[in-house]
Amino acid sequence: LSSTPASTPSPTAPSGGAGSMFTSAPHPALRHGMPLAQNLRMFKQYVTSFDSRTRNPQWVLEHVSKSTSRGDGDRQGSKFFEDQDIPVRLRNRLDDFKGSGYDRGHLAPAANHGGSQEAMNETFSLSNMSPQVGKGFNRSYWARFEKFVRDLTRECDDVYVVTGPLYLPSKTRNGWTLSHPMIGQPPSMVAVPTHFFKVVLAEYDGEQGKKAQALGAFVIPNAEIDGRIPLSTWIVPVEDLEAAAGMQFFTSFLTPCRRHALAEAEHVVLDQLGRAGAPSKLLTDGTTVVSKPKKGSNTVAIRASPRGPGTEVLHLCERARCELVSEDWAKHFNSDNPPPQVDSDSSVVIDEDV
């Protein structure tokens, strides 16, 4: 486990034009350092960038494989803990969640890292946690989504996942407004995200022994979700998610050529779902929650469209059937894997994350 502040340019003057991040000579404004609001935290099998303004992870990046998820790890041997390498006034704290009504929701799930007790224990750091709605989300729909990602390792050698919170606005008579709850006590409060995203990059054996990749992005409201709603409802184009999240994903992999190929694959998938004309309605229409499945919204078997040899990247749902396990699975999993810690002064179970 190591901790570093988010990478910052050295205190030198720009050499590549106004506002350049590339530097060559000392910059007088940076004599006493620059403000820091993010901490890059490196754990055994995941990395998180913790945002001290919202006291949530900005993103969590994990590597999942058969070996990382299967082993002797037991969540009953784990305990939630505050990240001591983040100053107490800037981090989320155990007390923030007490009586809040929100779960301490893992962004890198504990079950993804059961290969060792050490790796599983590290997922219980609060720098890997965001406030999540419990009933109908963290303990059911979101848990089933995490299970879908984990099951990709059955046919894919390596799965890389970026998960993070979103704070999306809603439209009112006076224009766009951002509104979300806060927990804890001023001035060190924790923001409750309106949505969460996952960007999933799966690697598998392709033609002629070469590695092939499939990628997909999803955005789900932090709310009670009807378990009958298909996972495909939440597919969004990666570049639209990047615009909403303010960050780029898998920058070493998504070259311009691969971005073009992915955009074509996303169009193929969204066209089959009848959403080609409004691919990012979830991101552009605000925080409206899909509370019930639409008529005829059963799971669609997405077909990979022929795009010629050497296609750079498929959409994840062309490679894997984007279906969730049954709702009963989450009930059985939660009963077989009770949370390792429950607040003694609250009747609210504050984490049953998988």
Side-chain angles (χ1 to χ4, degrees), residues 42-94:
M42 296 188 183
F43 294 87
K44 188 175 180 68
Q45 288 171 183
Y46 74 92
V47 179
T48 176
S49 175
F50 190 81
D51 181 357
S52 292
R53 183 179 65 87
T54 63
R55 291 169 184 81
N56 277 254
Q58 183 186 30
W59 52 261
V60 174
L61 170 61
E62 58 183 318
H63 169 237
V64 186
S65 66
K66 290 180 181 178
S67 63
T68 69
S69 58
R70 302 174 189 177
D72 298 330
D74 181 358
R75 62 185 288 112
Q76 291 303 300
S78 304
K79 292 183 179 180
F80 294 97
F81 63 94
E82 295 181 17
D83 195 326
Q84 300 295 322
D85 286 331
I86 301 175
V88 64
R89 68 189 183 281
L90 301 178
R91 67 181 183 239
N92 52 0
R93 295 164 295 178
L94 293 168

Side-chain angles (χ1 to χ4, degrees), residues 46-199:
Y46 74 92
V47 179
T48 176
S49 175
F50 190 81
D51 181 357
S52 292
R53 183 179 65 87
T54 63
R55 291 169 184 81
N56 277 254
Q58 183 186 30
W59 52 261
V60 174
L61 170 61
E62 58 183 318
H63 169 237
V64 186
S65 66
K66 290 180 181 178
S67 63
T68 69
S69 58
R70 302 174 189 177
D72 298 330
D74 181 358
R75 62 185 288 112
Q76 291 303 300
S78 304
K79 292 183 179 180
F80 294 97
F81 63 94
E82 295 181 17
D83 195 326
Q84 300 295 322
D85 286 331
I86 301 175
V88 64
R89 68 189 183 281
L90 301 178
R91 67 181 183 239
N92 52 0
R93 295 164 295 178
L94 293 168
D95 285 347
D96 293 330
F97 291 86
K98 288 182 179 179
S100 70
Y102 290 95
D103 286 5
R104 292 175 287 199
H106 290 65
L107 298 194
N112 283 9
H113 304 289
S116 73
Q117 190 63 47
E118 177 188 3
M120 178 168 280
N121 289 347
E122 288 186 343
T123 68
F124 285 82
S125 168
L126 289 195
S127 56
N128 181 40
M129 304 286 165
S130 284
Q132 292 186 332
V133 169
K135 180 182 177 182
F137 185 71
N138 181 43
R139 305 174 206 168
S140 52
Y141 201 97
W142 184 254
R144 293 162 64 206
F145 184 24
E146 292 172 332
K147 168 72 169 169
F148 161 77
V149 173
R150 191 158 53 252
D151 285 349
L152 292 173
T153 61
R154 294 176 178 176
E155 56 184 74
C156 299
D157 297 326
D158 297 282
V159 180
Y160 300 89
V161 190
V162 185
T163 305
L166 287 174
Y167 306 88
L168 298 182
S170 56
K171 197 165 189 178
T172 68
R173 290 183 300 175
N174 299 320
W176 290 94
T177 301
L178 177 59
S179 177
H180 57 81
M182 305 287 289
I183 63 174
Q185 295 296 324
S188 300
M189 301 192 75
V190 180
V192 179
T194 63
H195 296 69
F196 288 93
F197 69 81
K198 281 188 184 291
V199 184

Side-chain angles (χ1 to χ4, degrees), residues 301-340:
I302 296 170
R303 304 178 304 278
S305 175
R307 290 193 292 277
T311 298
E312 288 287 330
V313 59
L314 295 176
H315 190 276
L316 184 67
C317 294
E318 292 181 290
R319 171 64 185 176
R321 189 175 176 90
C322 283
E323 289 184 357
L324 299 178
V325 294
S326 71
E327 294 180 76
D328 286 339
W329 172 87
K331 296 176 183 177
H332 292 310
F333 191 95
N334 286 329
S335 63
D336 294 340
N337 297 270

